[in-house]
Amino acid sequence: MLPLIAVLPPSSTVSVWRLLNMRGVPLMLTCIFLLWFNVMALEPTYQPYLTAPPYALSSTDIGLVLSTATGAMVLTMALSGSLGTLMDAYTQQSLGFILLCVSLPFLGPSPSFHLTPQLGLFIGAIIACYTAVGLIGPTQSVRRLNRPR
């Protein structure tokens, strides 16, 4: 049996502010927003960028790259509960945020890095981004953040 996230009074007496003040809820909402942003907002912008030179990928190739990245995210989320034996949930989420912040500029890559766009760099960056989202995703947070001490 999974531990309860929190013991709540009947739903008619719980306010949104009270819910947002509960341990882990704001972080959980941030993680859900990051998942939504990566999948819903960024993915549609990749196709026009990747079909043009220097990448010139077909829609099948783009689908394979994005499916591989999504697979990396799902695998990381599935393993994130087991990673709790190596590190606590806050460390895991912090590493995920750091990995996400480091890998996002390489999607372009950023002109500040003076790197030429390369397919391998893009694939590595997007897989790193999705892996980072898997580390900070809600799967492990639900199981580990509110564990009784």
Side-chain angles (χ1 to χ4, degrees):
M1 184 173 169
L2 290 175
L4 296 174
I5 298 296
V7 178
L8 294 173
S11 60
S12 62
T13 62
V14 177
S15 70
V16 172
W17 293 114
R18 186 168 176 194
L19 185 64
L20 288 174
N21 286 327
M22 295 182 76
R23 180 175 179 244
V25 171
L27 184 59
M28 184 77 67
L29 292 175
T30 302
C31 295
I32 290 169
F33 174 77
L34 280 172
L35 286 169
W36 170 83
F37 183 78
N38 264 354
V39 175
M40 299 295 189
L42 286 182
E43 270 192 15
T45 65
Y46 295 146
Q47 185 153 355
Y49 179 72
L50 293 174
T51 55
Y55 300 115
L57 296 177
S58 69
S59 58
T60 303
D61 293 335
I62 295 169
L64 288 172
V65 168
L66 294 177
S67 294
T68 302
T70 303
M73 178 180 68
V74 169
L75 181 65
T76 306
M77 289 178 110
L79 295 174
S80 64
S82 300
L83 289 175
T85 59
L86 301 174
M87 65 185 91
D88 67 324
Y90 294 108
T91 304
Q92 186 173 338
Q93 288 180 334
S94 298
L95 290 175
F97 277 114
I98 291 168
L99 180 60
L100 187 64
C101 291
V102 168
S103 58
L104 276 175
F106 288 97
L107 284 177
S110 170
S112 303
F113 295 149
H114 305 291
L115 296 172
T116 57
Q118 299 171 1
L119 184 59
L121 182 63
F122 176 81
I123 291 172
I126 196 164
I127 289 174
C129 285
Y130 276 57
T131 300
V133 171
L135 283 173
I136 60 178
T139 302
Q140 58 88 24
S141 303
V142 170
R143 291 184 57 201
R144 312 228 16 115
L145 280 180
N146 292 297
R147 177 190 288 177
R149 296 174 197 253

